[in-house]
Amino acid sequence: MDKKLVFYDIAMRPPAEKSNSAVNPWKTRLALNFKSLPYSTNWVQLPDISNVRKSLSVPACRKFADGTDFHTLPILVDPTTSRKLGDSFDIAVYLQKQYPAGNDLFPPQSLDYVFSSDAAILIPLSKCDDGGYPQYARFNVNVDAAFTTHVGLMVQGLPFDPATAEEAKAEFVRRAGVSCWEDFAITGEQREKLSGSFRDMLGGLAKLFGGNGPFLLGERANYADLIVGAWLRMASKTLPADEWKLVREWHGGVFGRLHDALEIYAAVQ
Ligand SMILES: N[C@@H](CCC(=O)N[C@@H](CS)C(=O)NCC(=O)O)C(=O)O
């Protein structure tokens, strides 16, 4: 590698390197650090993502329910190969294939986890190429669906940058077809119910971490741990403190241990 990789992440409340809470950029950051690759972070404000993505000529990998493009991060640019990638799973596959030395993101394992629910997901998830790792691709889709079904618990806790908060919130309101930001609040009995469902969903996932941990395959992490770990990073930064404490403790503390064991890959470069 001649030059550092360039990683585009979402800037939340300053300092951005403390409040970064978007799950898919977290998957990429954890993967870059796991592979010990030198990179720099370009922080992008939420309302600027479309322009940045278009200016890099990276096509959208997600669509809104009405079929229009949904421009997202992460993006990774590799100046050494001139490659530009705009999906966290594609990025992980690229990193493993282009930079195979060191930690292996995709050791063989079955990752037998399927999430099914009747709850609708507001914005459809991306359909991605499995990159030659179908078990991991399927796991990514199922874990994303499992957490996205419960993301309502986290939305109100997103640490927006005050400079762009009103604009960003208005866009979230528009997409959801609700009338104001306060409509996202989930409280009382409704919150207890969703929180119970979140606990049960995590119980299903915890079964995969049945060994001595802290990772799926024991002492060495892989991309499947990073996928769950990225959602835990988002949860840690957006859930009310008492709820995050519960998540850490549920199911014998498996997710608290996983989150903490991934701390070594969470540094911001
Ligand atoms: N499949 C894509 C999804 C990326 C995605 O949904 N990114 C979200 C953050 S986690 C985003 O950029 N959202 C921008 C917005 O909501 O305006 C990936 O894995 O990279």
Side-chain angles (χ1 to χ4, degrees), residues 3 16 19 33 40 49-50 76 85 113-115 135 188 198 215:
K3 298 181 209 127
S19 60
N33 290 332
S40 60
I49 294 176
S50 281
L76 186 81
L85 298 115
Y113 174 72
V114 175
F115 175 76
Q135 290 85 356
F198 189 37
F215 303 119

Side-chain angles (χ1 to χ4, degrees), residues 39-67:
Y39 66 92
S40 60
T41 306
N42 276 6
W43 295 103
V44 182
Q45 294 281 336
L46 268 165
D48 297 336
I49 294 176
S50 281
N51 283 341
V52 168
R53 195 158 174 126
K54 284 186 208 158
S55 71
L56 291 166
S57 305
V58 178
C61 65
R62 266 183 104 170
K63 298 258 182 212
F64 291 113
D66 66 3

Side-chain angles (χ1 to χ4, degrees), residues 24-230:
N24 291 298
W26 261 116
K27 292 176 191 171
T28 296
R29 185 178 298 286
L30 292 171
L32 285 163
N33 290 332
F34 180 73
K35 299 258 345 140
S36 302
L37 291 165
Y39 66 92
S40 60
T41 306
N42 276 6
W43 295 103
V44 182
Q45 294 281 336
L46 268 165
D48 297 336
I49 294 176
S50 281
N51 283 341
V52 168
R53 195 158 174 126
K54 284 186 208 158
S55 71
L56 291 166
S57 305
V58 178
C61 65
R62 266 183 104 170
K63 298 258 182 212
F64 291 113
D66 66 3
T68 55
D69 283 345
F70 177 18
H71 294 281
T72 58
L73 295 181
I75 290 174
L76 186 81
V77 177
D78 186 345
T80 306
T81 60
S82 302
R83 284 292 303 274
K84 293 176 191 169
L85 298 115
D87 178 275
S88 58
F89 194 80
D90 293 347
I91 293 170
V93 170
Y94 173 77
L95 294 179
Q96 187 55 41
K97 291 190 175 163
Q98 186 65 31
Y99 302 106
N103 285 334
D104 183 0
L105 282 163
F106 299 103
Q109 58 179 322
S110 61
L111 292 170
D112 221 350
Y113 174 72
V114 175
F115 175 76
S116 61
S117 157
D118 296 334
I121 291 179
L122 190 64
I123 306 175
L125 300 174
S126 311
K127 292 189 179 55
C128 62
D129 183 337
D130 72 21
Y133 301 106
Q135 290 85 356
Y136 282 86
R138 194 192 52 210
F139 185 74
N140 189 41
V141 168
N142 278 279
V143 170
D144 280 358
F147 277 88
T148 303
T149 300
H150 301 94
V151 81
L153 295 168
M154 304 178 203
V155 171
Q156 282 257 318
L158 283 167
F160 288 108
D161 182 343
T164 53
E166 287 319 307
E167 199 182 339
K169 286 180 184 174
E171 172 60 8
F172 277 48
V173 164
R174 186 195 67 77
R175 288 176 196 168
V178 294
S179 54
C180 62
W181 180 249
E182 286 62 40
D183 287 351
F184 285 113
I186 298 179
T187 54
E189 223 174 282
Q190 197 194 1
R191 190 163 190 99
E192 268 171 41
K193 202 169 156 222
L194 191 57
S195 188
S197 163
F198 189 37
R199 187 194 54 230
D200 293 347
M201 176 284 279
L202 286 173
L205 200 51
K207 291 192 185 125
L208 270 72
F209 291 83
N212 290 332
F215 303 119
L216 284 156
L217 294 179
E219 289 185 3
R220 187 174 293 212
N222 57 69
Y223 193 58
D225 295 296
L226 307 190
I227 292 167
V228 180

